[in-house]
Amino acid sequence: MADYDLWHHGDREVGEGLVDLAVNVRLPAPPAWLRAELAAALDDLAAYPDVTAATAAVAARHSLPESQVLVTSGAAEAFTLLATALRPAHAVVVHPQFTEPEAALRAAGHPVHRVVLSPDDGFRLDGVPEEADLVFVGNPTNPTSVLHPAADLLGLGRPGRLVVVDEAFLDAVPGETESVAGQPGFVVLRSLTKTWGIAGLRAGYVLADESVVDSLRAVQPPWSVSSLAAVAVVACCRPAALEEAEKLAVAAEADREYLVSGLTALGVEVLGEPRGPFVLVRLPGAGGVRERLRENGFAVRRGDTFPGLDARYLRIAVRDRETVDAFLGAWRVVSGVSGSIEG
């Protein structure tokens, strides 16, 4: 099995003076209303965290019983909890995707079978072996930006199999279409950090059958979710916040289309049908574009740390049009010609 740096994430690409198109956090800072709620909670930090209200807010937001909700320290904590609590005989991770699930499984001592989807058919979901009893898949998937149909995900369900769907970016899809939240035999992971600019706060949650939630809660460290994260969960689950998130998702779609159009005009191959707040591109050769972009002030995410990809691939986060115009200008500089690029 090929070796990849599973611990490499987009934050390692950024640096002083660089415009960040490597990290998939949409807002540069939390909105004013969220900052105000967090500031108001500072006087309560002497008390130990309590996620009761946060659990109730998530349950109401998804119309599920509270027994099917576990609030976590970001979605990433959920991968470690799953790897710790479960004893799979045949764990499968569908790649390319966020590498934390495989890293967590391996750290817990579980062998991992990789199912690698092909870019040449749009990363169509296929090839999961029948014997798999634990399957991890992203939707929309990081880094491919592919949104798998819910019917395809539900088709992975089997008696005795648990399917974990990372929906960390689904709130960036208008209408949150293709979600499988609440389906028996499925575990859905959600993150609040991407849409609301709170990656440093670590706020997320799990939606799953009660028995799975109980197993995860049994291995979750006490007070792993901070008081401020719990406040953020409540605030971001309110109807007004959900309405704002929908507007942000619609705006992100328009900005993504603008980015894709600009890249295509430069002769850059954008893979699949992007639906997340980022796109994956493939260059004709493996040499130096990412490094030359850095020299010109822009950070993008390298692709060769994702199983199934190599140095020809780059992930580019969606940003506002002014930033995208500047980025495309830098790409023209590093490519040497306005209509195409050289790897």
Side-chain angles (χ1 to χ4, degrees):
M1 182 178 293
D3 191 24
Y4 293 85
D5 182 1
L6 301 177
W7 300 104
H8 184 95
H9 300 300
D11 59 321
R12 288 172 57 182
E13 305 281 357
V14 298
E16 186 175 355
L18 295 177
V19 178
D20 175 16
L21 283 82
V23 174
N24 289 326
V25 176
R26 177 68 173 166
L27 296 181
W33 58 264
L34 181 52
R35 291 201 303 272
E37 294 210 34
L38 294 172
L42 292 176
D43 288 343
D44 299 326
L45 290 184
Y48 282 92
D50 184 348
V51 297
T52 302
T55 301
V58 172
R61 184 238 199 273
H62 291 279
S63 300
L64 292 172
E66 293 180 26
S67 60
Q68 293 185 19
V69 173
L70 182 70
V71 180
T72 57
S73 178
E77 184 193 24
F79 295 123
T80 298
L81 298 180
L82 287 161
T84 303
L86 303 180
R87 295 292 181 268
H90 194 108
V92 166
V93 178
V94 178
H95 286 292
Q97 77 146 299
F98 186 47
T99 53
E100 201 67 27
E102 180 171 329
L105 288 168
R106 293 190 179 281
H110 303 300
V112 175
H113 177 85
R114 291 175 182 163
V115 171
V116 179
L117 307 184
S118 171
D120 297 322
D121 65 1
F123 299 103
R124 183 173 61 87
L125 186 57
D126 193 19
V128 175
E130 281 296 320
E131 62 269 23
D133 57 354
L134 178 62
V135 179
F136 286 83
V137 60
N139 205 44
T141 305
N142 170 21
T144 66
S145 204
V146 168
L147 182 67
H148 299 294
D152 290 354
L153 295 169
L154 294 174
L156 295 176
R158 301 284 191 281
R161 173 187 287 179
L162 199 63
V163 181
V164 181
V165 184
D166 178 5
E167 293 185 356
F169 293 100
L170 200 65
D171 63 353
V173 177
E176 296 190 2
T177 57
E178 314 304 342
S179 177
V180 295
Q183 294 292 329
F186 285 76
V187 178
V188 164
L189 311 183
R190 287 291 187 102
S191 169
L192 300 176
T193 63
K194 313 299 190 296
T195 289
W196 299 117
I198 52 173
L201 195 55
R202 314 308 306 139
Y205 54 87
V206 176
L207 306 173
D209 297 336
E210 182 175 349
S211 60
V212 175
V213 169
D214 288 344
S215 296
L216 300 184
R217 185 180 292 111
V219 298
Q220 186 178 35
W223 311 297
S224 69
V225 179
S226 72
S227 296
L228 294 183
V231 167
V233 171
V234 173
C236 295
C237 284
R238 292 197 184 106
L242 299 180
E243 183 178 346
E244 184 173 335
E246 179 71 7
K247 292 177 181 177
L248 289 170
V250 171
E253 278 215 323
D255 287 344
R256 185 188 63 241
E257 291 170 4
Y258 186 77
L259 171 62
V260 170
S261 176
L263 289 168
T264 302
L266 291 177
V268 182
E269 181 185 12
V270 179
L271 294 169
E273 182 181 344
R275 293 298 305 277
F278 47 88
V279 301
L280 183 68
V281 304
R282 179 168 56 187
L283 310 181
V289 169
R290 181 177 65 89
E291 291 80 4
R292 295 200 298 275
L293 284 169
R294 292 180 69 85
E295 292 170 1
N296 283 269
F298 290 86
V300 297
R301 172 68 159 89
R302 59 190 281 199
D304 60 348
T305 64
F306 294 101
L309 304 182
D310 56 40
R312 294 174 298 161
Y313 295 84
L314 300 174
R315 189 192 72 197
I316 304 168
V318 172
R319 297 290 187 254
D320 62 85
R321 295 190 178 198
E322 182 180 359
T323 302
V324 168
D325 283 340
F327 170 69
L328 295 173
W331 197 298
R332 292 185 186 93
V333 171
V334 304
S335 68
V337 290
S338 62
S340 63
I341 60 119
E342 297 294 334

